[in-house]
């Protein structure tokens, strides 16, 4: 019972008992204000059921719409608000709620209309005006994104180049650049990426647009975008800056009429870009990826493309404004605090840039200035009271030794440098010892020039290797000793270490290589050691027998640290013996011995049988897949020298015809194409030869799928000149024969590469196999109308020469020449082959023992009978009629049936022409 004096309120009726819509609405309002959204929806739903008044019903729908907004049920919110608006089109609350729900559903244009109506009804309402402004901007961005996506799609499709440029121009003319800047300012990675790619499309090959974009967006803003820690955005921005630079520097030769005339001198913009990039490389606000791309852009655009060009002002400009900044990057020690953000590859890229800039210098005063700036920079960092500055100086020296080695070697001999290294080697800090040892290793790279370090550094390395217990330092000291110990190369008589020592060192390197607990940077040095130790054939054999070590090396090629690629390539070149070898002439050997000169000796395990065995082992371990991954590395890490070594390895692997299928199956065919198109001259030749070996025996459509097949033509044609050896000529011709057999587009591509004159020359080469391969290639090319027209040009003897080849004794040569002649006579009706000697050759073809040659000869006769009445008459008047009659009367024989049918067709043609008559019965 309730206490005396208290009041007990009457209980609320349950909702099941309420039938009054007004009361239900009020209950719903109370629940909504209390945050009980589900109960409020229940009340409003009941009220809707019992309500008969349209205006009251509209209010309830509007209120339930607010509940659905809170529940993020936007479709129901739109539906209820719409029902309220249907009753009262000026219901401002319902309009705004529908606007909010439509915005959440991504229907910005519909939401914009609703809030626009709200702002019309209450023009001073700040909420409505702010929403109107915001939605307008979002709609504009959405339209821009759609345009961007269309543009990107078109840019990815080669056949829509004209449409792509039209799209870029349309975006540009419709105030597109400021809108793209707004897209960048959203800070959303996908929008930034889309905007940057569109700007790249606008700038590519169009100087006027590139200038406008540069001035609108600003070089500093572009550099700030490239500074972010997002690799995809960094790469896209670097590509855009390269497009801008190419367009401004006049790399594009297209004429844009009046627009081009409006562009002023762009030299200032080009200098501003270089200065901005130089500023980036030492900024702490720039990410490691951004720094890499800034260095990469400098490497691409500063050195001269052609040394014949005397203008190297860009290199001098870079030295004056940025050499010390590049040196600062080289000297960074990631293990110390307060260093610039770097990737695993940054310091190597900086060394490559230093090397390219130094190589670009034209005279001694320029080189002296470069060396003096480097010398001054390193000296300024030596400080007896600051060990961090000292190791920065030594690390900078390491960078120079990896780049312009001559400069580094000279500076390494300066007073105080060796003393500093000794001090660092004796330091208790691991980082000091690591920096010192790595500097010693780089200094001993070229033993012929590093005499200073050979005489002073060996003792240091030996002491560190014996005394230290730190694996990281031990392995680096070992690599330095390996470098110094491999000075004799593969000369068996100049072994630097005692018998068995190199095998022991290599075994230790393999042990480190296979140790997953060591970091990638340390394991990389194990491969560096093997790169030198594998000059010894005993080490090569042991290494290829250790499949686990090889697989560990291949796995490391997939790590982010791409500085490892050069050492892997060196190791593989040594193991496959694919380096250049001096030809040993017995007479010269005797002369050298007589004059007491050194004569190189070959290791017993460097003979052909051992090399073949090693190649098989390496293939089995999965080397092709590793090489394919290496080729895909960025160009600024994959140097031309590394590309050349990879090409050498591929050529060695493709030597045995049985292994070429494995290479193709693991993607080797595709990987060889970029190696054949870029790099050193020697590297391109090696890669082209490997491509020729594959194309000669494989189905090109499988080996080089898709559009890549057309890229193979140029490398093969490059092997068709007198400077290449006979094997390269022969296999290139075989490869082109296979390509020419596929389709007319490939045949036209071969002609565009100007291969036809070379192939014609080889058709009369003294070497039988080369002559045969060239004729077979021509046999496929004559399917092309352009080649047929060349054979019919007035005043040339090409057809005569082809008929003479049909008269050669070589069966394979006859077969190819006869096939070409048969196709020519089928395609071209106006052929004159009526000389007695020619007729004799054709008769010989028609009675040839080889059914294929006989068939081709008889087809040629059929074509000639069909070509010209006078020629046909001459053919029938000679002994050819007897041959045709004899062959036609032969009994059916599967082996000769094609020839028999052709002979019968010839007699039928002669009969139809009235040249012969049947015997009367």
């Amino acid at each position: 019972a309730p206490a005396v004096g208290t009041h007990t309120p009457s209980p609320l009726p349950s909702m099941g008992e309420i039938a009054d819509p007004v009361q239900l609405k009020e209950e719903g309002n109370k629940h909504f204000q209390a945050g009980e959204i589900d109960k409020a929806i229940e009340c409003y739903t009941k009220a809707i059921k019992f309500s008969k008044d349209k205006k009251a019903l509209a209010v309830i729908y509007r209120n339930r719409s607010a509940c659905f907004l809170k529940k993020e049920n936007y479709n129901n919110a739109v539906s209820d608000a719409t029902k309220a608006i249907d009753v009262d089109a000026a219901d401002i609350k319902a309009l705004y709620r529908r606007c909010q729900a439509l915005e959440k559903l991504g229907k910005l244009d519909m939401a914009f209309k609703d809030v626009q109506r709200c702002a019309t009804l209450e023009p001073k309402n700040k909420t409505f005006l702010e929403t109107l402004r915001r939605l307008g901007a979002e709609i504009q961005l959405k339209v821009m994104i759609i345009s961007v996506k269309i543009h990107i799609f078109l840019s990815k499709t080669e056949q829509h180049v004209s449409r792509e440029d039209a799209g870029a121009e349309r975006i540009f003319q419709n105030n597109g650049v400021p809108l793209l800047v707004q897209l960048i300012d959203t800070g959303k990675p996908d929008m930034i990426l889309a905007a940057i790619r569109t700007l790249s499309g606008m700038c590519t090959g169009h100087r006027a647009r590139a200038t406008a974009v540069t001035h609108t967006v600003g070089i500093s803003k572009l550099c700030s975008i490239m500074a972010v820690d997002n690799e995809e955005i960094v790469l896209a921005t670097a590509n855009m800056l390269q497009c801008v630079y190419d367009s401004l520097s006049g790399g594009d030769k297209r004429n844009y009429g009046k627009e081009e005339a409006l562009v002023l001198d762009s030299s200032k913009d080009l200098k501003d870009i270089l200065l901005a990039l130089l500023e980036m490389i030492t900024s702490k606000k720039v990410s490691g990826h951004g720094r890499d791309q800034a260095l990469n852009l400098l490497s691409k655009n500063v050195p001269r493309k052609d040394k014949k060009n005397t203008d190297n002002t860009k290199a001098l400009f870079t030295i004056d404004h940025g050499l010390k900044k590049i040196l600062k990057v080289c000297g960074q020690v990631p293990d110390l605090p307060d260093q610039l953000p770097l990737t695993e590859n940054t310091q190597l890229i900086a060394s490559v840039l230093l090397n390219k800039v130094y190589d670009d210098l034209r005279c001694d005063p320029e080189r002296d200035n470069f060396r003096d700036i480097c010398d001054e920079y390193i000296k300024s960092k030596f400080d007896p009271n600051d060990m961090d500055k000292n190791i920065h100086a030594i690390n900078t020296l390491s960078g120079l030794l990896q780049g312009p080695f001559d400069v580094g070697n000279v500076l390494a001999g300066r007073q105080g440098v060796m003393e500093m290294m000794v001090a660092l080697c004796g330091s208790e800090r691991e980082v000091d010892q690591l920096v010192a040892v790595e500097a010693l290793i780089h200094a001993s790279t070229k033993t012929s020039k590093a005499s200073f370090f050979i005489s002073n550094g060996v003792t240091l390395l030996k002491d560190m290797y014996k005394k230290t217990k730190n694996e990281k330092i031990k392995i680096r000291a070992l690599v330095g000793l390996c470098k110094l110990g491999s000075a004799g190369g593969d000369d068996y008589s100049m072994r630097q270490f005692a018998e068995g020592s190199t095998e022991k060192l290599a075994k230790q390197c393999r042990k480190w290589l296979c140790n997953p607990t060591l970091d990638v940077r340390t394991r990389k040095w194990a491969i560096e050691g093997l790169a030198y130790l594998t000059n010894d054939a005993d080490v090569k054999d042991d290494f290829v027998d250790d499949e686990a070590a090889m697989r560990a090396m291949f796995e490391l090629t997939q790590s982010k640290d791409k500085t490892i690629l050069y050492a892997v390539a060196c190791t593989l070149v040594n193991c496959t013996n694919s380096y250049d070898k001096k030809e040993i002439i017995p007479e010269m050997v005797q002369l050298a011995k007589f004059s007491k000169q050194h004569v190189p000796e070959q290791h017993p395990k460097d003979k052909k049988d051992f090399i073949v065995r090693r190649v098989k082992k390496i293939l089995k371990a999965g080397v092709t897949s590793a090489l394919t991954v290496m080729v895909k590395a960025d160009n600024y890490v994959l140097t031309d020298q590394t590309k050349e070594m990879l090409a050498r390895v591929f050529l060695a692997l493709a030597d045995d015809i049985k292994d070429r299928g494995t290479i193709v199956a693991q993607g080797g065919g595709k990987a060889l194409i970029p190696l054949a198109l870029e790099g050193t001259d020697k590297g391109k030749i090696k890669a082209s030869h490997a491509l020729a070996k594959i194309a000669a025996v494989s189905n090109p459509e499988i080996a080089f799928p898709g559009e890549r097949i057309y890229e193979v033509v140029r490398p093969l044609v490059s092997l068709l000149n007198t400077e290449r050896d006979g094997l390269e000529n022969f296999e290139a011709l075989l490869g082109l024969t296979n390509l020419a057999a596929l389709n007319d587009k490939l045949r036209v591509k071969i002609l565009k590469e100007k291969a036809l004159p070379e192939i014609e020359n080889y058709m009369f080469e003294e070497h039988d196999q080369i002559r045969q391969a060239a004729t077979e290639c021509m046999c496929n090319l004559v399917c092309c109308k352009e080649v047929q027209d060349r054979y019919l040009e007035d005043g040339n003897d090409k057809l005569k020469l082809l008929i003479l080849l049909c008269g050669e004794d070589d069966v394979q040569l006859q077969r190819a020449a006869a096939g070409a002649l048969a196709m020519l006579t089928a395609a071209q009706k106006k052929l004159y082959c009526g000389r007695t000697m020619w007729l004799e050759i054709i008769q010989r073809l028609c009675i040839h023992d080889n059914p294929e040659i006989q068939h081709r000869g008889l087809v040629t006769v059929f074509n000639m009978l069909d070509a010209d009445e006078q020629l046909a008459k001459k053919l029938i008047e000679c002994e050819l009629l007897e041959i045709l009659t004899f062959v036609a009367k032969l009994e059916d024989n599967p082996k000769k049936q094609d020839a028999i049918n052709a002979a019968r067709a010839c007699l039928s043609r002669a009969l139809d022409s009235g040249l012969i008559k049947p015997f009367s019965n």
Side-chain angles (χ1 to χ4, degrees):
V4 178
T6 61
H7 171 71
T8 305
S10 58
L12 288 170
S14 67
M15 282 188 285
E17 298 168 356
I18 298 175
D20 182 3
V22 176
Q23 191 176 350
L24 284 166
K25 188 191 78 168
E26 293 301 326
E27 288 298 325
N29 292 348
K30 288 178 183 178
H31 286 305
F32 182 83
Q33 289 167 5
E36 298 167 344
I37 307 301
D38 288 332
K39 288 182 179 179
I41 291 172
E42 194 176 345
C43 285
Y44 292 140
T45 304
K46 288 233 180 229
I48 289 167
K49 185 178 178 182
F50 294 112
S51 181
K52 302 299 181 185
D53 184 355
K54 284 187 176 181
K55 288 188 177 181
L57 193 61
V59 172
I60 298 168
Y61 273 122
R62 185 179 70 196
N63 290 355
R64 193 170 71 166
S65 176
C67 292
F68 285 132
L69 269 175
K70 289 280 188 183
K71 295 285 289 182
E72 298 183 5
N73 189 340
Y74 301 120
N75 285 313
N76 284 348
V78 170
S79 178
D80 277 4
T82 302
K83 288 172 184 174
I85 293 164
D86 288 343
V87 175
D88 181 4
D91 188 336
I92 199 163
K93 288 185 178 180
L95 282 167
Y96 190 64
R97 284 168 190 167
R98 188 169 71 174
C99 162
Q100 289 175 298
L102 288 168
E103 183 184 355
K104 293 294 185 180
L105 291 170
K107 298 176 181 180
L108 301 182
D109 50 343
M110 295 170 69
F112 183 81
K113 287 178 183 178
D114 281 346
V115 77
Q116 196 173 38
R117 176 72 176 149
C118 292
T120 305
L121 294 168
E122 290 187 17
K124 294 184 179 181
N125 188 308
K126 291 183 179 180
T127 302
F128 296 157
L129 293 174
E130 174 60 26
T131 306
L132 190 66
R133 185 201 62 75
R134 180 170 50 76
L135 285 177
E138 286 185 19
I139 288 169
Q140 203 172 24
L141 283 176
K142 190 175 180 181
V143 171
M144 196 67 225
I145 291 168
I146 293 168
S147 300
V148 167
K149 287 181 177 177
I150 292 169
H151 177 68
I152 291 170
F153 172 75
L154 292 177
S155 69
K156 288 180 179 177
T157 315
E158 286 184 14
Q159 55 264 40
H160 296 300
V161 172
S162 60
R163 284 166 60 190
E164 173 200 346
D165 192 65
E169 185 62 28
R170 193 159 53 247
I171 295 171
F172 183 75
Q173 293 295 343
N174 289 301
N175 204 33
V177 177
L179 288 172
L180 287 167
V181 173
Q182 288 181 38
L183 210 61
I184 291 167
D185 290 339
T186 62
K188 298 179 180 178
D190 55 338
M191 290 189 181
I192 295 172
L193 205 55
I196 291 295
R197 285 172 176 167
T198 306
L199 288 169
S200 295
M202 283 184 185
C203 298
T204 301
H206 200 297
R207 193 176 172 200
R209 286 203 297 255
T211 304
V213 167
T214 305
H215 292 170
T216 305
V217 181
I219 294 168
S220 60
K221 187 176 184 71
L222 289 172
C223 289
S224 68
I225 298 166
M226 198 168 80
V228 301
D229 194 14
N230 181 313
E231 191 172 4
E232 197 173 8
I233 291 174
V234 168
L235 288 170
T237 313
N239 179 62
M240 186 206 157
L241 280 168
Q242 185 62 55
C243 293
V244 168
Y245 199 93
D246 288 342
S247 299
L248 295 180
S249 61
D252 181 65
K253 302 300 179 187
R254 285 177 282 182
N255 182 20
Y256 293 100
K258 293 180 181 178
E259 288 183 2
E260 191 70 18
L262 294 173
V263 179
L264 299 174
D265 181 20
S266 56
S267 58
K268 183 181 182 304
D269 289 332
L270 292 170
K271 284 184 178 179
D272 287 345
I273 291 172
L274 291 181
L275 283 171
L277 292 172
L278 288 169
E279 195 65 34
M280 278 187 74
I281 63 177
T282 53
S283 171
K284 288 187 178 180
K285 295 179 181 178
V286 176
S287 68
H289 294 301
R291 203 175 320 282
D292 284 359
Q293 290 305 321
L295 291 164
N296 185 33
L297 286 168
L298 290 167
S299 290
K300 283 182 180 177
N301 299 300
V302 170
R304 289 169 289 169
K305 301 290 185 292
D306 184 1
K307 294 297 181 184
K308 292 179 182 177
N309 178 11
T310 56
D311 182 16
N312 69 334
T313 51
K314 284 188 287 187
L316 298 177
F317 178 85
T318 302
I319 290 168
D320 289 341
H321 294 86
L323 180 54
K324 290 183 179 180
K325 293 177 180 179
I326 304 169
L327 292 171
K328 181 177 179 179
V329 176
C330 281
Q332 295 299 294
V333 183
D335 298 326
L336 293 181
D338 198 33
Q339 299 294 291
L340 298 174
L342 305 176
T343 69
E344 296 86 346
N345 307 308
T346 306
Q347 285 163 306
L348 176 64
I349 300 166
S351 294
V352 170
L353 174 57
L354 287 172
N355 194 45
K356 286 187 174 183
V357 171
Y358 184 73
D359 282 347
D360 205 44
L361 302 180
R362 293 183 303 159
C363 57
D364 287 342
E366 290 178 356
R367 296 187 190 96
D368 292 341
N369 179 52
F370 184 101
R371 189 163 46 246
D372 290 344
I373 293 172
C374 295
D375 193 10
E376 181 189 338
Y377 181 84
I378 291 173
K379 281 180 181 176
S380 69
K381 297 297 175 185
F382 282 140
D383 186 344
N385 301 316
D386 190 340
M387 194 59 80
D388 287 357
K389 289 182 72 175
N390 291 331
I391 62 173
H392 179 88
I394 297 300
N395 217 33
T396 305
L397 181 61
S398 284
L400 285 166
L401 289 164
Q402 290 177 84
F405 182 83
D406 292 342
V407 175
N409 195 34
V410 169
L411 299 183
R414 292 280 196 261
Q415 185 177 2
V417 174
M418 178 52 74
E419 289 80 358
M420 181 53 64
M421 287 197 184
V422 171
L424 290 173
C425 288
S427 170
E428 293 182 2
R429 285 200 311 177
E430 179 186 291
V431 64
D432 297 342
Q433 295 179 50
L434 288 174
V435 169
V437 174
E438 288 184 16
L440 287 167
I441 292 168
H442 295 310
S444 56
T445 296
K446 297 181 181 178
T447 50
S448 59
K449 295 183 178 180
S451 54
F452 179 82
F453 272 93
I454 290 173
S455 56
N456 294 276
V458 175
T459 307
L460 274 175
L461 289 170
K462 283 183 178 179
D463 288 346
M464 295 190 77
Y465 181 70
K466 290 176 182 177
K467 293 176 182 177
T468 186
K469 293 181 180 179
N470 187 319
E471 294 283 282
K472 293 180 180 180
I473 297 167
K474 201 174 188 71
I475 194 171
R476 286 161 172 79
L478 172 65
V479 172
L481 292 171
C482 292
K483 279 190 174 187
L484 297 172
S486 62
D490 65 344
D491 185 351
Y492 186 52
S493 64
M494 289 185 66
R495 306 184 87 179
Q496 302 294 310
F497 295 140
E499 190 73 32
S501 296
T502 50
E503 290 94 312
K504 288 178 182 177
L505 291 172
K507 187 177 180 181
Q508 183 60 52
C509 284
R510 298 203 310 271
K511 182 180 174 184
W512 277 320
L513 179 60
C514 296
N515 186 351
T517 60
L518 293 175
D519 59 281
V520 172
R521 192 175 166 193
T522 303
R523 293 167 73 194
K524 177 188 81 171
W525 286 105
I527 301 175
E528 285 272 357
L530 287 168
Y532 289 92
L533 292 171
T534 46
N535 280 304
D536 187 323
D538 289 318
V539 174
K540 298 177 196 181
D541 257 30
D542 289 344
F543 181 59
V544 299
D545 286 334
D546 189 347
E547 191 169 328
M550 279 197 291
R551 289 189 183 278
M553 182 175 75
F554 297 155
E555 284 172 15
L556 283 177
T557 61
Q558 301 178 38
S559 67
K560 290 183 180 180
D561 186 353
K562 298 302 179 185
T563 59
I564 200 170
L565 300 184
Y566 185 82
V568 173
C570 281
T571 305
L572 291 172
V573 165
N574 288 339
C575 290
T576 55
N577 282 55
S578 49
Y579 43 78
D580 286 331
K581 307 171 192 71
K582 290 182 180 179
E583 185 181 356
I584 298 176
I585 302 169
E587 292 81 6
M588 294 301 292
V589 171
Q590 293 299 322
L591 184 62
K593 286 180 177 178
F594 179 76
S595 58
K596 297 182 180 179
Q597 297 295 315
H598 173 70
V599 179
E601 291 181 27
Q602 185 186 43
H603 194 292
K605 290 185 178 179
D606 273 333
K607 291 181 180 175
K608 181 71 175 174
D609 292 346
F610 286 93
I611 297 170
V612 170
R613 189 187 77 86
R614 287 199 291 269
V615 167
K616 300 287 183 186
K617 290 264 190 181
I618 292 170
L619 269 169
K620 185 182 175 184
V623 68
T624 308
S625 299
L627 290 172
T628 305
V629 170
M630 291 167 74
V631 171
K632 290 178 182 176
D634 292 320
N635 262 337
Y636 55 87
V637 175
L638 195 68
T639 60
D640 288 348
Q641 289 74 20
T642 309
K643 289 179 187 175
E644 181 183 323
M645 288 192 288
L646 296 180
R648 288 175 179 277
V649 175
F650 265 121
L651 183 57
L653 298 175
D655 190 55
D656 189 341
I657 193 171
K658 296 174 185 175
D659 296 327
R660 295 174 197 172
T662 304
I663 295 170
V664 168
Q666 295 177 358
K670 293 179 285 186
L672 272 166
I673 295 172
L675 294 178
L677 298 174
E678 298 175 0
T680 63
D681 291 339
K682 191 171 283 188
K684 288 190 284 188
I685 292 165
K686 298 288 184 186
S688 299
H689 191 188
L691 276 175
K693 285 180 178 291
I694 291 170
V697 298
S698 307
N699 180 346
E701 290 176 304
I702 295 173
F704 318 107
E707 293 297 309
R708 289 189 186 89
I709 196 169
Y710 299 99
E711 297 178 46
V712 179
V713 174
R714 181 174 295 173
L716 297 190
V717 173
S718 71
L719 298 176
L720 300 183
N721 64 64
T722 52
E723 292 181 5
R724 309 277 71 81
D725 63 41
L727 183 60
E728 290 170 340
N729 299 154
F730 173 66
E731 290 181 320
L733 287 165
L734 291 183
L736 288 170
T737 302
N738 280 346
L739 292 172
L742 291 176
N743 58 56
D744 211 49
K745 191 177 175 182
L746 273 166
R747 290 188 278 272
V748 170
K749 175 69 174 172
I750 292 170
L751 295 184
K752 283 184 178 178
E753 295 295 339
K754 300 179 181 178
L756 200 61
E758 299 291 348
I759 295 169
E760 288 171 344
N761 290 339
Y762 284 116
M763 287 171 69
F764 301 96
E765 173 72 33
E766 290 183 8
H767 195 284
D768 292 343
Q769 287 179 300
I770 293 177
R771 188 164 71 247
Q772 175 197 323
T775 309
E776 286 178 348
C777 187
M778 187 60 72
C779 179
N780 289 341
L781 286 172
V782 291
C783 297
C784 181
K785 189 176 183 306
E786 289 183 43
V787 179
Q788 296 163 13
D789 293 342
R790 281 177 67 97
Y791 270 86
L792 288 177
E793 285 176 358
D794 293 334
N796 73 47
D797 294 327
K798 296 182 188 299
L799 186 61
K800 301 173 191 176
L801 295 170
L802 188 61
I803 294 171
L804 290 174
L805 286 175
C806 291
E808 292 286 329
D809 294 331
D810 187 328
V811 173
Q812 294 298 327
L813 181 62
Q814 274 187 305
R815 178 178 170 275
L821 185 61
M823 280 188 279
L824 272 174
T825 52
Q828 301 289 347
K829 301 299 180 185
K830 296 180 180 180
L831 290 173
Y832 180 70
C833 304
R835 291 188 183 179
T836 305
M837 184 179 69
W838 298 352
L839 291 175
E840 288 176 2
I841 290 172
I842 292 170
Q843 287 173 29
R844 285 174 58 190
L845 294 178
C846 293
I847 57 172
H848 205 283
D849 293 338
N850 187 305
E852 287 187 52
I853 296 174
Q854 185 182 26
H855 174 232
R856 294 177 185 204
L858 289 165
V859 168
T860 301
V861 171
F862 178 84
N863 295 335
M864 292 166 71
L865 289 170
D866 199 33
D868 183 83
E869 186 178 342
Q870 188 179 356
L871 179 59
K873 187 177 180 182
K874 192 163 187 177
L875 288 171
I876 293 300
E877 288 174 353
C878 71
E879 296 174 358
L880 198 57
L881 180 58
E882 294 178 29
I883 295 169
L884 293 174
T885 306
F886 172 77
V887 177
K889 286 182 177 180
L890 292 173
E891 293 182 6
D892 288 352
N893 182 341
K895 291 183 178 179
K896 294 189 175 184
Q897 197 60 46
D898 289 339
I900 294 168
N901 291 342
R904 291 170 182 171
C906 288
L907 290 174
S908 296
R909 170 58 63 191
L911 193 63
D912 293 342
S913 303
L915 296 172
I916 59 174
K917 295 180 181 179
F919 288 113
S920 61
N921 293 327

